[in-house]
């Protein structure tokens, strides 16, 4: 068994080799032969529609480089470690995504991420020095100190607008993560990505490239604020974008949203129709057809023609049938333009989702802040969280029982909160995987003063607090039910109210470095490596998890 993560391109190369063996020479792709095999002109010009930026080819190399890192269990920070299927991973998300490639390839139903928006003030990891060695990189970003000891500081770099590669740095950070994330999605899986107008256009282009523009589903506009910012320099920015892509659009369709009292208000019964409440819709269409252009006589005797350039949506014979069935509404006085009646009891029990999500439906920034404060005794320890109702909407549209949901920019873990809350409501058992870098909280921050050293610490504690609250609510509900009648075991349900914490760490097994020492000393090191490949710091449980992870379990 290899000790490294899955290399994303290997499986695709094998499939390509099976399909087009003539495109390979000495085990490698011959690009001219590949183009010829596809029937293309191999002398085409380089002028073509493509998104390029500084460092793109290097970002590909970073993406294709496997990791030897593993996930080490942290039982003392978990809840019901041996029973739960929910997972929190503390570590850098690119390395974590690589480590998960074998175990979760084609397994995740939905991914939601809220990455840095690249406003010029935020910080993130981006590979800006591709020529350096791994050990140099680890020292530079703070993964190791000069003595080689692992540390936690300095992982993020501020991407300033004064940088000569401002957009390129952000793209180099996002591209490999989205590419690896796509591998984890099921064939019917989807990804939602929050973004604002700083990088929305570039995000759309790289997602078109990674997922295929044919798999773009929607650009959802979320109303994140409900009141104007009077101090705005130009316009008050009241919305964010949520880009939705499917791994295979033809293999995925959203679930319909549940009908609510508000959505049913437009159905009335002003004519006391025995079929119940109804609403009316336009009976004309733009696609003109002369056969569908005829006069209609209203009950009041007035003749009405379709508006110029339009026609009725049904032929006259069908219109007469609708009249006899009392399906046409001419208004209270019987002399209005005819409209078609649709009855509430004929509509499927659900609503097709819209691309504009208002704050009344899914929450807003202030609601998200209050949600954090309610959990943490009136303390808002995290800046810019999303409301759990927003994530619940995405979950409702794209997931069901036993599905796996991932968020690898987990932050305060709103996604985990939403999964647990929606499971409570619909008695499902969705599972989550959260990944968050242990980004240090500023020493002067309220979070640091309260004992939270990293953003990951805040996220883990939020999950614990949500679980504790749901357990309290469930216990109260069970007591109330039992006061009225006996409650069966099946009614009580078995929601997964736990999570396992793992930390991304170096492998438990020695990695051969090809040390530049004298020949005899190198031979001794090699012999030591063969005789005992296990590091002195390794423990049995961590080694078992590493073997399971790297063998694809």
């Amino acid at each position: 068994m290899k000790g490294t993560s899955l290399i994303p391109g290997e499986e695709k190369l094998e499939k390509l080799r099976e399909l087009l063996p003539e495109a390979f020479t000495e085990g490698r792709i011959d690009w001219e032969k590949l183009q010829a095999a596809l029937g293309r002109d191999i002398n085409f010009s380089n002028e073509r529609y493509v998104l390029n930026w500084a460092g793109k080819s290097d970002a590909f190399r970073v993406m294709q480089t496997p990791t030897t890192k593993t996930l080490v269990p942290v039982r003392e920070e978990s809840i019901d470690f041996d029973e739960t299927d929910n997972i929190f991973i503390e570590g850098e998300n690119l390395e974590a995504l690589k480590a998960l490639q074998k175990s979760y390839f084609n397994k995740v139903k939905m991914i939601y991420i809220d990455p840095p928006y690249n406003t010029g003030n935020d910080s993130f990891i981006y590979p800006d020095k591709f020529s350096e060695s791994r050990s140099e990189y680890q020292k530079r970003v703070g993964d190791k100190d000069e003595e080689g000891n692992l540390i936690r500081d300095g992982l993020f770099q501020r991407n300033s607008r004064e940088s000569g590669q401002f957009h390129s740095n952000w793209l180099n950070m996002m591209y490999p993560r989205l590419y690896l994330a796509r591998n984890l999605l099921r064939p019917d899986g989807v990804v939602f990505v929050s973004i604002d107008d700083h990088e929305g256009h570039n995000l759309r282009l790289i997602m078109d490239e990674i997922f295929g523009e044919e798999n773009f589903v929607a650009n959802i506009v979320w109303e994140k604020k409900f009141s104007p910012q009077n101090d705005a320099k130009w316009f008050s920015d009241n919305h964010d974008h949520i880009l939705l892509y499917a791994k295979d659009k033809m293999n995925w369709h959203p679930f319909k949203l549940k009908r609510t009292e508000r959505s049913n208000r437009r159905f009335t019964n002003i004519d006391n129709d025995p079929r119940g409440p109804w609403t009316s819709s336009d009976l004309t269409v733009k696609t003109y057809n002369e056969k569908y252009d005829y006069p209609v006589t209203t009950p009041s005797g007035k003749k009405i023609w379709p508006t110029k350039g339009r026609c009725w949506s049904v032929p006259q014979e069908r219109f007469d049938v609708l009249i006899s069935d009392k399906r046409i509404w001419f208004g209270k006085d019987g002399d209005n333009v005819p409209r078609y009646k649709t009855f509430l009891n004929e509509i499927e029990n659900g609503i097709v989702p819209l691309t504009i999500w208002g704050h009344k439906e899914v929450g807003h920034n202030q609601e998200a802040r209050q949600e954090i404060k309610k959990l943490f005794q009136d303390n808002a320890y995290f800046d810019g969280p999303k409301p759990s109702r927003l994530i619940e909407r995405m979950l409702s549209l794209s997931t069901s029982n036993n599905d796996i949901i991932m968020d690898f920019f987990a932050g305060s873990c709103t996604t985990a909160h939403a999964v647990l809350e929606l499971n409570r409501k619909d008695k499902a058992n969705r599972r989550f995987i959260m990944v968050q870098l242990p980004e240090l909280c500023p020493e002067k921050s309220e979070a640091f003063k309260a004992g939270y050293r990293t953003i990951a610490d805040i996220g883990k504690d939020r999950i614990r607090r949500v679980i504790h609250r749901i357990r309290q609510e469930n216990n109260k509900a069970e007591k109330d039910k039992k006061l009225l009648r006996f409650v069966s075991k099946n009614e009580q349900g078995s929601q997964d109210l736990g999570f396992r914490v793992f930390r991304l760490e170096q492998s438990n097994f020695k990695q051969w470095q090809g040390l530049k020492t004298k020949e005899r000393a190198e031979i001794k090191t090699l012999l030591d490596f063969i005789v005992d490949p296990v590091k002195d710091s390794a423990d049995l449980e961590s080694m078992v998890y590493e073997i399971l992870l790297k063998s694809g379990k």
Side-chain angles (χ1 to χ4, degrees):
M1 185 186 72
K2 291 183 179 180
T4 64
S5 63
L6 185 70
I7 299 175
E10 281 187 350
E11 186 175 350
K12 293 180 180 178
L13 276 174
E14 287 304 314
K15 289 181 178 178
L16 185 60
R17 195 192 310 273
E18 291 176 9
L19 186 64
L20 296 169
E22 66 271 26
F24 286 77
T25 301
E26 296 182 342
R28 295 174 179 270
I29 294 180
D30 185 319
W31 298 108
E32 290 187 355
K33 286 185 177 180
L34 176 61
Q35 291 181 65
L38 295 173
R40 295 182 181 175
D41 181 5
I42 63 171
N43 294 317
F44 65 86
S45 169
N46 284 328
E47 293 178 1
R48 54 198 175 98
Y49 181 72
V50 66
L51 174 65
N52 266 323
W53 64 87
K56 183 177 182 179
S57 57
D58 293 315
F60 265 86
R61 282 193 283 274
V62 168
M63 178 175 70
Q64 298 286 354
T65 303
T67 185
T68 58
K69 288 193 175 182
T70 185
L71 300 179
V72 174
V74 188
R75 286 179 171 270
E76 64 273 16
E77 296 187 20
S78 309
I79 295 178
D80 293 341
F81 188 95
D82 292 318
E83 284 77 37
T84 184
D85 287 323
N86 296 318
I87 293 172
F88 180 97
I89 299 170
E90 183 178 309
E92 201 280 309
N93 56 12
L94 181 61
E95 295 288 290
L97 286 167
K98 290 180 179 181
L100 294 172
Q101 290 292 298
K102 283 184 180 177
S103 291
Y104 287 92
F105 188 81
N106 274 350
K107 298 284 178 60
V108 178
K109 182 64 185 294
M110 177 195 130
I111 293 173
Y112 168 71
I113 57 171
D114 184 14
Y117 284 3
N118 204 24
T119 60
N121 296 315
D122 44 14
S123 302
F124 48 83
I125 291 178
Y126 53 90
D128 60 344
K129 281 183 69 179
F130 295 99
S131 60
E132 63 192 347
S133 68
R134 177 174 288 274
S135 59
E136 289 172 333
Y137 172 79
Q138 288 172 329
K139 289 177 183 177
R140 180 173 61 80
V141 301
D143 200 15
K144 285 185 177 181
D145 61 18
E146 292 301 324
E147 285 71 43
N149 300 313
L150 288 172
I151 57 176
R152 296 289 176 190
D153 199 1
L155 283 164
F156 276 17
Q157 301 168 74
R158 184 173 178 271
N159 190 34
S160 169
R161 283 193 176 276
E162 286 69 42
S163 164
Q165 296 182 353
F166 178 67
H167 293 290
S168 293
N169 288 336
W170 188 84
L171 289 167
N172 286 328
M173 181 273 293
M174 289 295 294
Y175 197 97
R177 288 162 175 82
L178 286 169
Y179 186 96
L180 293 170
R182 183 187 178 278
N183 289 343
L184 302 182
L185 284 177
R186 285 171 25 174
D188 60 346
V190 291
V191 57
F192 295 83
V193 185
S194 284
I195 199 70
D196 69 2
D197 289 318
H198 287 93
E199 294 289 356
H201 53 299
N202 284 329
L203 178 64
R204 178 76 182 266
L205 287 172
I206 61 172
M207 292 191 75
D208 278 349
E209 187 169 310
I210 294 168
F211 289 85
E213 60 182 298
E214 69 278 5
N215 290 314
F216 167 76
V217 178
N219 176 11
I220 299 160
V221 176
W222 168 50
E223 187 185 16
K224 64 181 180 181
K225 299 174 188 173
F226 58 89
S227 58
Q229 284 183 279
N230 291 324
D231 60 346
K233 194 171 182 180
W234 287 285
F235 277 70
S236 176
D237 182 16
N238 282 41
H239 74 278
D240 270 356
H241 302 276
I242 302 171
L243 295 186
L244 170 57
Y245 280 75
K247 190 169 187 179
D248 179 359
K249 189 176 177 180
M250 293 298 103
N251 205 16
W252 180 81
H253 294 280
F255 296 118
K256 291 188 176 180
L257 297 171
K258 290 183 179 179
R259 300 198 68 85
T260 63
E261 288 185 16
R262 186 181 177 189
S263 62
N264 290 338
R265 283 176 194 162
R266 64 192 185 95
F267 289 84
T268 58
N269 195 3
I270 54 179
D271 63 347
N272 296 316
D273 195 303
R275 289 165 289 192
W278 53 269
T279 188
S280 65
S281 57
D282 189 4
L283 200 61
T284 65
V285 292
K286 291 180 182 178
T287 50
Y288 184 78
N289 186 327
E290 190 176 350
K291 292 181 180 179
Y292 287 57
D293 191 358
Y294 51 87
V296 168
T297 304
T298 69
S300 64
K302 183 167 66 174
K303 282 192 176 183
I304 295 178
W305 289 81
T307 309
K308 187 176 181 180
R310 299 177 71 91
C311 63
W312 305 117
S313 60
V314 293
Q316 186 153 13
E317 297 79 13
R318 174 63 181 159
F319 187 87
D320 293 339
V321 172
L322 294 175
I323 287 286
S324 62
D325 192 34
K326 297 183 179 179
R327 282 276 182 172
I328 303 300
W329 175 246
F330 289 96
K332 287 183 180 180
D333 298 326
D335 62 352
N336 287 355
V337 175
R339 293 176 64 84
Y340 180 76
K341 288 167 68 174
T342 300
F343 293 92
L344 180 59
N345 58 21
E346 296 173 335
I347 295 177
E348 291 184 54
N349 188 26
I351 304 171
V352 175
L354 303 175
T355 55
I356 296 178
W357 293 1
H359 73 270
K360 290 182 180 179
E361 304 169 69
V362 296
H364 47 74
N365 283 345
Q366 191 58 30
E367 177 180 312
R369 182 178 172 82
Q370 293 303 318
E371 214 166 32
I372 293 277
K373 292 179 73 173
K374 188 174 181 180
L375 283 170
F376 289 91
Q377 285 78 51
D378 206 35
N379 292 298
Y381 291 135
F382 188 84
D383 293 330
K386 296 293 185 286
S388 61
R389 283 201 295 157
L390 177 68
I391 316 299
E392 279 188 49
R393 166 65 64 88
M394 301 176 205
L395 293 167
S396 299
L397 292 174
S398 60
T399 68
S400 56
N401 195 26
N402 295 320
D403 285 342
I404 298 174
I405 293 92
M406 173 180 260
D407 183 345
F408 52 88
F409 284 96
S412 68
C413 289
T414 303
T415 301
H417 184 163
V419 169
L420 291 166
E421 190 61 38
L422 188 58
N423 281 347
R424 182 187 68 82
K425 292 175 182 176
D426 64 10
K427 309 299 181 187
N429 198 30
R430 299 170 186 85
R431 296 163 285 168
F432 63 74
I433 301 173
M434 300 292 106
V435 183
Q436 177 57 40
L437 183 80
E439 179 191 356
L440 289 175
C441 297
E443 290 189 17
K444 294 182 180 180
S445 68
E446 292 302 314
F448 187 90
K449 293 174 185 177
Y452 299 104
R453 294 296 175 261
T454 68
I455 298 299
D457 289 340
I458 297 173
K460 285 178 286 188
D461 199 36
R462 180 178 187 175
I463 298 173
R464 294 188 198 101
R465 289 169 183 263
V466 171
I467 288 173
H468 178 67
R469 190 192 68 191
I470 292 175
R471 283 180 171 175
Q472 284 185 320
E473 291 173 355
N474 288 349
N475 289 337
K476 183 180 183 302
E478 292 303 322
K479 287 178 183 177
D480 292 344
K481 285 181 182 178
K482 287 176 181 178
L483 287 173
L484 299 174
R485 60 180 174 81
F486 172 75
V487 180
S488 69
K489 189 175 181 180
N490 288 337
E491 272 188 291
Q492 293 175 24
S494 55
Q495 183 182 351
D496 186 346
L497 290 172
F499 73 111
R500 283 183 281 173
V501 177
F502 289 90
R503 190 167 288 126
L504 189 71
E505 298 285 5
Q506 299 294 335
S507 173
N508 293 282
F509 304 95
K510 297 173 184 175
Q511 305 299 315
W512 180 247
Q513 301 287 340
L515 301 174
K516 296 177 181 179
T517 58
K518 292 182 180 179
E519 187 176 352
R520 186 171 295 179
E522 190 168 337
I523 291 172
K524 182 180 182 303
T525 305
L526 177 59
L527 289 172
D528 290 342
F529 184 87
I530 294 171
V531 172
D532 186 11
V534 179
K535 289 181 179 177
D536 294 337
S537 58
D539 64 81
L540 182 60
E541 185 176 41
S542 296
M543 286 192 290
V544 169
Y545 270 101
E546 180 168 359
I547 291 168
L548 289 171
L549 182 71
K550 292 179 177 178
S551 62
K553 300 295 186 295

